[in-house]
Amino acid sequence: MDIAPGAHIAGSALIDRTWPKGVHIAEGCVFAEESVLLTHDMARGVYLDTRVGAGTRVGPRAIIMPGVTIGADCVIEPGAVVTKDMPSRSRAIGNPASINPA
């Protein structure tokens, strides 16, 4: 796992340990309660790098799917399911998440 020392991850957040090499969390990220970051999909047999940029905030029960790259200073709203890449300074809302400029 590549997790910056300044990242804050709630105790109940689930960071994928099936393929830990794929986890990349930058400085200043915040993962709220029960948020999920995935790096694998057993159904499709894929193991992918999932990246979260500096200063990104991931809301409670939000899910980041395998292979997604999140830019810096993004906000992922509670319960959002992020299935595609997000540019820096954007916002994800809904399931599947729609990406909007912040």
Side-chain angles (χ1 to χ4, degrees):
M1 290 186 177
D2 173 24
I3 301 175
H8 175 75
I9 300 172
S12 63
L14 301 172
I15 306 300
D16 199 338
R17 291 181 291 170
T18 301
W19 197 64
K21 285 175 35 176
V23 174
H24 306 279
I25 300 173
E27 194 69 31
C29 289
V30 176
F31 280 77
E33 295 80 17
E34 297 181 10
S35 55
V36 178
L37 181 140
L38 297 172
T39 60
H40 82 288
D41 182 347
M42 294 289 226
R44 296 183 297 154
V46 296
Y47 299 87
L48 302 166
D49 287 318
T50 305
R51 301 175 189 281
V52 181
T56 293
R57 292 169 287 161
V58 182
R61 295 194 174 178
I63 300 171
I64 301 171
M65 298 301 284
V68 171
T69 298
I70 310 288
D73 300 314
C74 291
V75 175
I76 300 173
E77 295 292 336
V81 178
V82 182
T83 59
K84 57 187 174 187
D85 293 351
M86 290 178 64
S88 293
R89 293 172 295 286
S90 60
R91 208 172 160 174
I93 301 168
N95 176 12
S98 60
I99 311 300
N100 303 309

